[in-house]
Amino acid sequence: MTLIPNELRAPALEALLDITHTLPPPGCGTVGPSLAGGEAGFALFRAYLARSGLLAQRESRGQEEMAFAHLQSATDQLASIARQPDLFSGFAGVAWAAQHLVSQGFLDEGEDLCAAVDEALLAWLQEHGTHMLCELIGGLAGIGLYGLGGQSRPGGRKIVARVVDTLAETAVAVETCRTWFHAPEKLPPFARQIHPNGCYNLGLSHGIPGVLIFLGRAATQQVPGARELLLDATRWLLLQQREYHNGSRFGHSFVRDPWEEPDGSRVAWCYGDLGIALSLLAASQHTAVHEWSSLALDLVRTAAHRPVEECRVIDAGLCHGAFGNAQVFARLYAATREPSQLEAAIRWLEVGLAMRKPGIGLAGFQVWQPPMPGDSSPGTWESSPSLLEGTCGIGLTLIGFLASLEPAWDEFLMLNLAPLKV
């Protein structure tokens, strides 16, 4: 993207090089194979760094070799996550990384792995699909996103169709629309503590907005049922708008009425108005309902002008941190060419770089871990090299700002927006 102002280039490059030297080496045994937290995510970072033009030729070759080694290590560990099909932590994510690196010309081979994963996912969906959550991170939308990337394979097309059918089967009728309820028995234990009665989840990461983006792309592929389900679920989402005191229009999650969360939402990729705006933009693009695009841009412009100190951003990572916001706004700017989005992207880049404290954590960055429900501790700061929350994701964001290289890796976050007519 090469959006960075000159005064930030040196500190950004310094942070990136530090991240490069502090990531775990391939096959070190301290991390698992996953996309969000392990070897598959590191493979993405090394591959993009190798092609960025930011390193000397010899160093670039070394990074490329390490990328292949990380992916091989992830593949070698697939048996350890054989019962985890999801995109972020499971075997679908490892295959997505291989599929993505092939599609971007980083790898020549990967079809055998993806064909085997296609078969395993179809069997899993047949047996367990209706018991899964609808979401991107750990559920159906994430598996569907992997399938969308494999449309050249029969297995990829079958996965997308199966996910659409399963979403239709598991949707609930609410307010004359269809949407998805997170029943308590489907929630992981920590989430069940927060929502013992289940919830409607409004996060792009764990809720309905991620489903809408998947359905929009499936509708473009003419998958039966996708467009009708997208229209229904988007109408339901729009009914959840409120006017919160912090300027947001949507909450995080609720059981009966969004007013159960009186504080509204923060500014982040995972939860809040930014993620919902992305889903509305996708829904508008794939249905030609232009008023949804207008509402989405209104949400984005409001979020871009919210004071940093009121956005509840504590750390730097992609999921809910400063660099995540920088990446989202940069992608929105690329799609809209609105100056306010570029200004917000640079502002959040500055905030993220200011969070760096050399000598602490990894490359000067730490991740805030809040206490779990029922835990009386105040929370802790931890070091993390992960893609989703730690330094690997920060590094990929910095590459996008420093180099003229399309950051297509953020497809797994559903950030690859098509240009909009504003």
Side-chain angles (χ1 to χ4, degrees):
M1 290 185 290
T2 323
L3 299 177
I4 195 165
N6 289 335
E7 64 271 17
L8 294 181
R9 190 171 184 85
L13 185 58
E14 180 183 352
L16 173 62
L17 294 177
D18 206 358
I19 288 169
T20 303
H21 299 141
T22 56
L23 279 185
C28 66
T30 61
V31 296
S34 74
L35 174 63
E39 300 271 14
F42 300 158
L44 287 183
F45 171 77
R46 302 284 191 189
Y48 273 84
L49 182 61
R51 297 290 179 87
S52 68
L54 298 171
L55 303 177
Q57 187 175 15
R58 181 177 178 181
E59 293 174 302
S60 294
R61 284 199 300 269
Q63 291 299 318
E64 191 167 356
E65 291 170 1
M66 291 180 76
F68 299 154
H70 278 301
L71 189 60
Q72 184 62 58
S73 178
T75 304
D76 292 344
Q77 297 179 64
L78 280 176
S80 68
I81 51 174
R83 300 295 295 174
Q84 292 177 257
D86 53 278
L87 182 67
F88 278 52
S89 299
F91 61 83
V94 175
W96 180 89
Q99 177 177 269
H100 177 77
L101 291 175
V102 169
S103 72
Q104 298 298 310
F106 294 111
L107 277 178
D108 294 327
E109 299 180 1
E111 289 299 301
D112 290 345
L113 169 63
C114 292
V117 168
D118 291 350
E119 185 177 340
L121 285 173
L122 285 166
W124 183 279
L125 289 168
Q126 180 67 31
E127 185 174 355
H128 304 289
T130 57
H131 301 291
M132 297 185 74
L133 293 170
C134 66
E135 63 178 68
L136 169 65
I137 281 186
L140 293 167
I143 292 176
L145 180 66
Y146 162 74
L148 286 169
Q151 288 294 284
S152 62
R153 302 187 307 273
R157 296 191 293 274
K158 290 177 183 177
I159 287 169
V160 173
R162 183 72 57 79
V163 169
V164 171
D165 288 345
T166 306
L167 286 169
E169 186 177 350
T170 55
V172 297
V174 183
E175 299 168 309
T176 71
C177 304
R178 286 181 292 174
T179 190
W180 294 271
F181 183 74
H182 283 24
E185 63 271 16
K186 291 185 177 181
L187 295 172
F190 77 92
R192 199 177 308 139
Q193 286 184 269
I194 302 171
H195 296 290
N197 298 313
C199 69
Y200 296 97
N201 193 298
L202 299 185
L204 175 56
S205 55
H206 287 292
I208 287 120
V211 182
L212 301 186
I213 297 177
F214 162 72
L215 287 172
R217 295 176 185 174
T220 300
Q221 301 294 329
Q222 305 298 314
V223 177
R227 189 176 190 276
E228 294 77 13
L229 196 51
L230 172 63
L231 289 167
D232 253 11
T234 304
R235 284 193 288 260
W236 176 86
L237 179 63
L238 292 175
L239 292 174
Q240 314 318 314
Q241 286 186 85
R242 301 293 187 272
E243 292 184 7
Y244 294 101
H245 69 83
N246 66 355
S248 64
R249 303 270 285 279
F250 291 89
H252 288 91
S253 56
F254 61 93
V255 179
R256 292 181 180 85
D257 188 287
W259 278 121
E260 294 167 15
E261 287 193 323
D263 293 334
S265 56
R266 59 190 170 190
V267 174
W269 166 80
C270 56
Y271 281 92
D273 290 5
L274 270 185
I276 288 175
L278 291 167
S279 71
L280 292 176
L281 287 172
S284 176
Q285 285 181 320
H286 298 298
T287 60
V289 181
H290 300 300
E291 56 264 36
W292 294 350
S293 178
S294 297
L295 171 60
L297 292 173
D298 187 40
L299 291 173
V300 167
R301 291 163 187 150
T302 300
H305 289 101
R306 280 176 63 180
V308 168
E309 60 273 12
E310 296 178 10
C311 292
R312 308 211 306 261
V313 173
I314 298 174
D315 54 14
L318 284 179
C319 182
H320 44 260
F323 284 95
N325 285 345
Q327 183 70 17
V328 173
F329 280 115
R331 289 303 244 166
L332 286 164
Y333 171 69
T336 67
R337 312 312 292 182
E338 289 193 359
S340 65
Q341 311 316 316
L342 177 58
E343 292 166 6
I346 299 302
R347 181 166 65 252
W348 282 108
L349 179 66
E350 289 180 306
V351 171
L353 289 170
M355 290 178 173
R356 182 170 181 254
K357 297 177 174 56
I360 296 177
L362 293 176
F365 295 106
Q366 289 184 300
V367 177
W368 172 248
Q369 296 292 348
M372 297 298 287
D375 187 351
S376 60
S377 69
T380 59
W381 287 97
E382 298 179 4
S383 299
S384 172
S386 75
L387 174 59
L388 185 61
E389 295 188 347
T391 52
C392 179
I394 294 170
L396 273 166
T397 302
L398 287 169
I399 292 170
F401 277 86
L402 287 163
S404 56
L405 184 66
E406 175 71 12
W409 59 266
D410 64 9
E411 178 192 347
F412 89 98
L413 298 174
M414 294 182 158
L415 293 183
N416 50 329
L417 287 170
L420 302 173
K421 295 180 180 179
V422 182

